[in-house]
Amino acid sequence: MTAGIAPSLPAIRACFEGAIPAMMATCAEDGTPNVAYISQVYYVDERHVALSFQFFNKTRRNILANPHGSVLVMDPVTAGFYRLQMRYLRTETEGPLFEGMKAQLAGIASHSGMAGVFRLLGSDIYEVEAVERLEGECLPAAPRPGLLAGVRRAAEGLAACSATDELLQAALAALNDHLDIRHAMVLMLDAATQRLYAVASCGYATSGVGSEIEMGHGVIGVAARERTPVRIGHMTNAAAYSHAVRSSMRESEPGLALDTEIPFPGLAEPHSQLAVPILSTGRLLGVLFVESPLDMRFGFEDEDALVAIAGHLGAALDLLHTVAEPAAPEEPVAAAAPSASGPPFPVRHYLANNSVFIGERYLIKGVAGAILGKLLREHAQQGRSEFTNRELRLDPAIRLPDLSDNLEARLVLLQRRLVENCPHIRIEKTGRGRFRLRVDRPVALEEIPA
């Protein structure tokens, strides 16, 4: 950093990672000074930081009486000290900033053995009026990772994709190849149920495709609900930020006592997690989630990189959605299905929630289950094997939430669940907005009324 020039707030973002506690100096109305450690100084933007409000202590009383204070922060790599002159503006008790700080504080508390003590009451927003670098010897700065080049390679890869499945795989490959991220997944939003379902993953023993997270649960659910990145640098046992455990179907649908849980594919003991919302034209499409067994694996630069990649991914998903179907209406192709041989295998379709079982094994539910039910029914009754996206979208029985719903993502989910769990049924893309159902053995379809 150039001598004699006051550093900017963005230039010292490493000081706000929560690795080293900060100190804050305030004054009471009578001028009595007070110095105290603070758990968290959170970077907001180029002019503002937020401090965690956890206790109504002397520091809090002083700030409410006299809004000016100074904070001493340290760079955890160079050991350089910086003094921030600040002015208190307001306190937020909900929203994206509050939830982001709450998640980070949960990790800090768990790392320091204070999980039962730390509790965020509010986010105190301060305007930073001046930043001063203190004199003293510093260690060399660590080389900055080449994340921008990785983002460029990711953007180039995403721009070259012409299908949703290809796009999802390209996003995960870019994280692995260019950002050295080994464990990741993409989840899409089901707007009707307000749940997120996994459509692609990498680095896990099982893919977990089809597993679900409720909005607001865990790092993923909070990032989706608040539409803001949520990052944790240390292992946390806080229930709200560990992997969310969904309510079982026995609770949500007591009349259907069936096990329709797909195990979530996350790490057993993640030490770092980062969830970034996938947005396009102001709409939430899903979440890009990464994790690591290492502490402090994802810093603010990784967060910036993933926000950029998620933005490209969201725009590409929307673009593919608009070109996934033929521009002009076309009649479905009623080609005869090739003959299947061998003994029939049972498929049960529960119309109450469109859950589908292959024998006794759960496969899928919801919109994807309704799609498979339609395909198998018309295959059995009419001998059809060729279908179009358009006819699925226009079929009221499938109950797509609205025209903005990403039907292509539902088909990718269904296709992957079939590959992993039912080799006798396959879905193959045959062209723009068209696909083929392949059935190698006769299907004994049983549709059970609601």
Side-chain angles (χ1 to χ4, degrees), residues 168 185-188 223-224 227 276-280 283-289 306-307 309-315 317:
L168 297 173
M185 68 185 77
V186 179
L187 301 96
M188 301 299 294
R227 302 188 180 195
V276 175
I278 301 171
L279 304 169
S280 180
R283 296 176 296 110
L284 175 69
L285 302 184
V287 170
L288 178 61
F289 173 72
L306 259 71
V307 167
I309 292 173
H312 282 287
L313 180 57
L317 284 168

Side-chain angles (χ1 to χ4, degrees), residues 62-146:
N62 287 354
I63 282 298
L64 292 179
N66 174 14
H68 295 277
S70 63
V71 169
L72 188 67
V73 296
M74 187 179 85
D75 188 307
V77 176
T78 68
F81 283 94
Y82 300 87
R83 182 185 291 120
L84 279 57
Q85 302 293 340
M86 311 192 309
R87 180 172 63 90
Y88 170 73
L89 299 178
R90 65 185 183 277
T91 298
E92 296 184 5
T93 57
E94 60 183 5
L97 174 62
F98 177 80
E99 292 294 344
M101 291 188 68
K102 185 178 177 182
Q104 189 186 78
L105 186 63
I108 295 170
S110 179
H111 183 66
S112 60
M114 299 289 285
V117 178
F118 284 8
R119 184 168 68 91
L120 188 65
L121 301 178
S123 301
D124 289 345
I125 313 299
Y126 288 80
E127 179 185 5
V128 178
E129 298 176 327
V131 179
E132 175 189 2
R133 180 180 178 181
L134 303 188
E135 294 184 4
E137 294 292 328
C138 294
L139 300 173
R144 296 171 66 87

Side-chain angles (χ1 to χ4, degrees), residues 80-428:
F81 283 94
Y82 300 87
R83 182 185 291 120
L84 279 57
Q85 302 293 340
M86 311 192 309
R87 180 172 63 90
Y88 170 73
L89 299 178
R90 65 185 183 277
T91 298
E92 296 184 5
T93 57
E94 60 183 5
L97 174 62
F98 177 80
E99 292 294 344
M101 291 188 68
K102 185 178 177 182
Q104 189 186 78
L105 186 63
I108 295 170
S110 179
H111 183 66
S112 60
M114 299 289 285
V117 178
F118 284 8
R119 184 168 68 91
L120 188 65
L121 301 178
S123 301
D124 289 345
I125 313 299
Y126 288 80
E127 179 185 5
V128 178
E129 298 176 327
V131 179
E132 175 189 2
R133 180 180 178 181
L134 303 188
E135 294 184 4
E137 294 292 328
C138 294
L139 300 173
R144 296 171 66 87
L147 294 178
L148 186 58
V151 172
R152 173 181 174 174
R153 295 288 181 251
E156 292 172 343
L158 297 180
C161 295
S162 59
T164 299
D165 189 26
E166 180 188 8
L167 180 70
L168 297 173
Q169 293 304 315
L172 296 178
L175 296 180
N176 182 82
D177 298 343
H178 306 307
L179 299 182
D180 198 31
I181 294 175
R182 305 304 182 203
H183 302 90
M185 68 185 77
V186 179
L187 301 96
M188 301 299 294
L189 173 67
D190 184 330
T193 64
Q194 288 296 288
R195 291 179 178 176
L196 298 127
Y197 57 94
V199 291
S201 69
C202 66
Y204 303 107
T206 59
S207 73
V209 168
S211 59
E212 298 179 354
I213 293 290
E214 292 186 11
M215 188 78 80
H217 285 205
V219 172
I220 295 170
V222 171
R225 184 188 67 198
E226 301 298 334
R227 302 188 180 195
T228 189
V230 176
R231 176 163 52 94
I232 295 179
H234 302 286
M235 177 65 179
T236 171
N237 295 318
Y241 295 103
S242 61
H243 284 310
V245 179
R246 296 185 292 120
S247 300
S248 71
M249 183 169 293
R250 292 177 181 85
E251 296 174 353
S252 60
E253 298 180 59
L256 189 61
L258 298 168
D259 184 7
T260 58
E261 295 283 338
I262 298 174
F264 192 78
L267 293 174
E269 293 188 0
H271 283 234
S272 299
Q273 295 181 325
L274 171 58
V276 175
I278 301 171
L279 304 169
S280 180
T281 61
R283 296 176 296 110
L284 175 69
L285 302 184
V287 170
L288 178 61
F289 173 72
V290 299
E291 59 182 347
S292 169
L294 305 177
D295 278 334
M296 301 295 289
R297 169 60 182 83
F298 308 116
F300 64 89
E301 290 179 315
D302 298 282
E303 180 180 319
D304 290 345
L306 259 71
V307 167
I309 292 173
H312 282 287
L313 180 57
L317 284 168
D318 249 5
L319 180 61
L320 288 177
H321 170 64
T322 62
V323 301
E325 301 173 19
E330 297 184 30
E331 291 298 319
V333 179
S339 59
S341 60
F345 63 95
V347 176
R348 286 177 293 150
H349 178 202
Y350 291 85
L351 300 179
N353 68 342
N354 284 307
S355 60
V356 177
F357 286 73
I358 307 295
E360 299 299 320
R361 186 172 186 177
Y362 170 69
L363 179 71
I364 202 71
K365 68 178 179 180
V367 172
I371 291 172
L372 182 58
K374 170 188 170 65
L375 303 184
L376 292 177
R377 186 185 317 114
E378 297 194 8
H379 174 81
Q381 295 174 356
Q382 306 171 28
R384 292 187 60 196
S385 62
E386 306 288 334
F387 298 87
T388 68
N389 290 14
R390 179 177 175 78
E391 66 176 293
L392 296 182
R393 195 174 297 286
L394 295 177
D395 190 335
I398 292 177
R399 298 196 293 270
L400 279 170
D402 54 51
L403 291 176
S404 67
D405 183 86
N406 198 318
L407 175 61
E408 285 284 318
R410 311 278 188 169
L411 289 172
V412 168
L413 168 61
L414 178 56
Q415 182 181 37
R416 291 186 178 172
R417 287 293 293 167
L418 288 170
V419 167
E420 294 178 2
N421 297 276
C422 184
H424 305 300
I425 304 175
R426 298 191 304 279
I427 292 178
E428 302 171 348

